Amino acid sequence: MKQEPVDKQAVKAYFHDLHDRITKSLEALDGGGCFHRDAWTREAGGGGESRVMTEGDLFERGGVSFSHVMGDSLPASASARRPELAGRGFEAMGVSLVMHPWNPYVPTTHLNVRFFVAEKAGADPVWWFGGGFDLTPYYGFDEDCRHWHEQARAACLRHGDSLYPRFKQWCDEYFHIQHRDEPRGIGGLFFDDFNELGFADSFAFMRSVGDHFLPAYEPIVQRRRDHDYGEREREFQLYRRGRYVEFNLVYDRGTLFGLQSGGRTESILMSMPPRARWEYDYHPDPGTPEAELYSHYLVPRDWV
């Protein structure tokens, strides 16, 4: 059977459009902050544009980045699970974002959608899509969790009934901080090495994930952005941000790929919160909202 054509330019055009749509919407959601745009090039090939918001009205720090990089061989983080691809040239492109709000009642969120293609002369290209979105609340609300996962399920449904439960479970497993034995947040979707629907339909699925991010996140932000908070909530938020840092530096594939492929360090690490804290052997008091985060929300469960 003849392999379906791979349209790299169509994928790149979608990523540029998504990058623009998301930054415009998040600026409007913030109400006062704007993204500083920082175009960059990579000496080994490619480049991108990082857009970073610092100390807006809603977001303390946030970044939305587009990148398109290429090279003569895949870095170890990408070829470790696919050793047959070692030595192939590659292109990798995608959009990623992390938003860290000021208000502890507004969750941190992460989105990534990406495309890889590995090629060599005389052989068919090997390609795949990956990505997903996840939510990291500091104070939990069942209503928000249900809405988030309803949108995650909606992103998957037109492409098959099995995708949401499969990629929801993968997200729960992937965003697990192994050395703490706890989830980073309440999950969402995570998928990688995805090409099983053929190029056109796999691309359509990835687009659906990207397009469902804003409808998933914006209503939660609007519900929680004016919630009163004090020093206690802020200190707990900073403590939980420390967990976010630990995961990204120890386990995150995107961070490892970026660093190993010679990516731009400032853009790779823009996902880090501007402030975080660590406390020795901390345990929340029983019966508090902080304890409820651990007992009720940081537990893999079916929300829809």
Side-chain angles (χ1 to χ4, degrees), residues 168-234:
K168 188 265 187 193
Q169 180 179 350
W170 198 349
C171 189
D172 289 341
E173 294 171 353
Y174 178 74
F175 290 106
H176 189 84
I177 306 171
Q178 297 174 28
H179 61 275
R180 300 285 189 180
D181 193 23
E182 65 185 42
R184 190 173 80 173
I186 64 151
L189 298 172
F190 180 86
F191 63 101
D192 205 0
D193 299 321
F194 187 79
N195 56 18
E196 64 197 57
L197 303 179
F199 178 80
D201 287 344
S202 296
F203 181 25
F205 169 68
M206 188 273 293
R207 293 198 308 269
S208 183
V209 172
D211 293 344
H212 276 80
F213 169 74
L214 288 170
Y217 190 53
E218 286 182 325
I220 296 172
V221 173
Q222 297 289 21
R223 281 197 291 267
R224 309 302 167 197
R225 64 183 302 162
D226 296 322
H227 200 296
D228 289 338
Y229 69 93
E231 182 178 357
R232 169 180 170 163
E233 291 86 356
R234 176 66 170 169

Side-chain angles (χ1 to χ4, degrees), residues 38-53:
D38 186 13
W40 53 274
T41 58
R42 175 175 172 268
E43 185 176 345
E49 185 180 77
S50 299
R51 300 175 182 176
V52 179
M53 182 186 294

Side-chain angles (χ1 to χ4, degrees), residues 20-232:
D20 289 340
R21 282 189 285 126
I22 285 179
T23 52
K24 181 179 179 180
S25 294
L26 291 176
E27 281 184 342
L29 188 63
D30 185 275
C34 61
F35 286 96
H36 168 71
R37 301 188 177 204
D38 186 13
W40 53 274
T41 58
R42 175 175 172 268
E43 185 176 345
E49 185 180 77
S50 299
R51 300 175 182 176
V52 179
M53 182 186 294
T54 301
E55 296 192 353
D57 290 352
L58 170 66
F59 295 111
E60 185 175 8
R61 170 77 55 78
V64 188
S65 181
F66 165 79
S67 63
H68 179 199
V69 301
M70 62 280 297
D72 294 332
S73 62
L74 283 162
S77 62
S79 61
R81 292 170 294 113
R82 301 282 292 273
E84 73 276 13
L85 301 183
R88 283 190 177 224
F90 76 94
E91 289 186 53
M93 63 182 83
V95 170
S96 61
L97 73 83
V98 176
M99 304 302 295
H100 293 288
W102 288 102
N103 192 318
Y105 288 94
V106 180
T108 284
T109 191
H110 161 256
L111 163 77
N112 176 261
V113 281
R114 57 188 180 271
F115 175 66
F116 285 84
V117 58
E119 299 176 285
K120 70 176 180 180
D124 289 333
V126 178
W127 57 267
W128 62 89
F129 293 96
F133 51 67
D134 64 283
L135 196 71
T136 305
Y138 306 99
Y139 290 89
F141 297 89
D142 285 14
E143 178 186 15
D144 296 349
C145 297
R146 285 193 296 268
H147 171 78
W148 182 257
H149 279 276
E150 285 167 356
Q151 289 297 313
R153 183 174 63 179
C156 299
L157 276 179
R158 71 175 58 184
H159 302 281
D161 294 340
S162 67
L163 294 186
Y164 169 70
R166 177 175 149 201
F167 294 153
K168 188 265 187 193
Q169 180 179 350
W170 198 349
C171 189
D172 289 341
E173 294 171 353
Y174 178 74
F175 290 106
H176 189 84
I177 306 171
Q178 297 174 28
H179 61 275
R180 300 285 189 180
D181 193 23
E182 65 185 42
R184 190 173 80 173
I186 64 151
L189 298 172
F190 180 86
F191 63 101
D192 205 0
D193 299 321
F194 187 79
N195 56 18
E196 64 197 57
L197 303 179
F199 178 80
D201 287 344
S202 296
F203 181 25
F205 169 68
M206 188 273 293
R207 293 198 308 269
S208 183
V209 172
D211 293 344
H212 276 80
F213 169 74
L214 288 170
Y217 190 53
E218 286 182 325
I220 296 172
V221 173
Q222 297 289 21
R223 281 197 291 267
R224 309 302 167 197
R225 64 183 302 162
D226 296 322
H227 200 296
D228 289 338
Y229 69 93
E231 182 178 357
R232 169 180 170 163

Side-chain angles (χ1 to χ4, degrees), residues 255-270:
T255 301
L256 296 175
F257 175 84
L259 296 174
Q260 291 176 1
S261 63
R264 183 171 182 266
T265 302
E266 287 299 310
S267 298
I268 297 164
L269 297 182
M270 75 176 188

